[in-house]
Amino acid sequence: MERYKQEFIDFMVESKVLLFGSFTLKSGRQSPFFMNAGAYVTGSQLERLGEYYAKAIHDTYGDDFDVIFGPAYKGIPLAVITAIAYYRLYGKEVRYCSNRKEVKDHGDVGILLGSKLRDGDRVVVVEDVTTSGKSMEETIPILRAQANVTLVGLMVSLNRMERGKGSKTALEEIRELYGLPTAAIVTMQEVVSYLYGEKENGTGLITDEIKRAIDAYYEEYGAK
């Protein structure tokens, strides 16, 4: 596992973004782990988060893109901090763009925040986590309605690796439905491997009891 992935897992735990216990998700599923990206609230946390997104995008999709798009609302700060980090780490200027939930009819009119989209733009989309793909159902039509853009890929922070609407993960379903490459900074499999026991440099944060609960959860809800 790349060093920045290990650092990102530690960062999620330190920031109390990744929690272990018993949590009821929006889907109604009872999960032994929970990710709350809303816990990233300080300047230093946001700076580091942008760097991890930038590194993952660079490693996965390279430099051939023009715009980082973050769907409203959580994706707005993600797009901003990633664009800043990308310039600082790789010296490449990329524009940030997000959508509004409601179209503005005065001043800076329209549905977009930040940069306008132009024909020929190559766009990377950033989100915190995707469990159902619903946000992409809303986001992709918005992007394609604004300009003739190429969707380079979607980057999320954590791939929960559980079923979406069918038997595959939400990221796999998005990839198949829209022809959009998808990736995550880390997968839940990598998280468990790194945090469980003393194996593979495990930190021991995931105990045998938590590991059994996670295994049972994936037995029921894991993607095939």
Side-chain angles (χ1 to χ4, degrees), residues 7-191:
E7 291 175 356
F8 181 64
I9 295 170
D10 288 332
F11 174 56
M12 286 193 292
V13 173
E14 292 165 6
S15 303
K16 301 190 185 320
V17 166
L18 181 62
L19 304 171
F20 298 96
S22 182
F23 308 92
T24 302
L25 306 179
K26 286 183 179 179
S27 62
R29 296 175 182 176
Q30 199 72 22
S31 174
F33 60 91
F34 181 68
M35 181 189 169
N36 174 24
Y40 295 123
V41 293
T42 70
S44 62
Q45 286 175 328
L46 294 172
E47 180 181 41
R48 290 179 65 187
L49 182 60
E51 290 175 355
Y52 292 124
Y53 268 94
K55 288 177 181 178
I57 289 170
H58 185 266
D59 282 3
T60 307
Y61 301 125
D63 283 330
D64 188 15
F65 66 97
D66 310 290
V67 178
I68 296 175
F69 183 90
Y73 289 105
K74 288 184 178 180
I76 297 174
L78 291 180
V80 173
I81 61 176
T82 304
I84 294 170
Y86 211 91
Y87 176 74
R88 187 172 60 250
L89 291 176
Y90 305 110
K92 179 179 173 66
E93 287 278 24
V94 293
R95 292 149 32 221
Y96 106 87
C97 180
S98 297
N99 64 296
R100 295 182 172 96
K101 288 290 189 180
E102 301 83 19
V103 177
K104 189 176 179 183
D105 59 4
H106 62 282
D108 182 19
V109 299
I111 197 171
L112 298 182
L113 294 167
S115 173
K116 302 301 182 187
L117 294 175
R118 310 164 187 163
D119 290 345
D121 276 342
R122 294 174 58 79
V123 180
V124 173
V125 181
V126 290
E127 280 204 302
D128 56 350
V129 65
T130 298
T131 53
S132 68
K134 182 179 179 181
S135 65
M136 286 299 101
E137 293 177 9
E138 301 171 353
T139 297
I140 290 177
I142 291 172
L143 291 169
R144 290 179 171 163
Q146 300 303 309
N148 182 19
V149 301
T150 297
L151 299 179
V152 173
L154 166 68
M155 180 63 68
V156 302
S157 59
L158 176 67
N159 181 355
R160 288 182 59 97
M161 300 181 68
E162 59 191 85
R163 295 197 307 270
K165 296 178 180 178
S167 62
K168 300 180 179 180
T169 68
L171 290 182
E172 290 173 325
E173 291 173 351
I174 289 169
R175 183 165 57 243
E176 291 185 359
L177 184 59
Y178 299 108
L180 173 65
T182 59
I185 302 176
V186 293
T187 67
M188 199 58 202
Q189 182 179 28
E190 290 171 323
V191 169

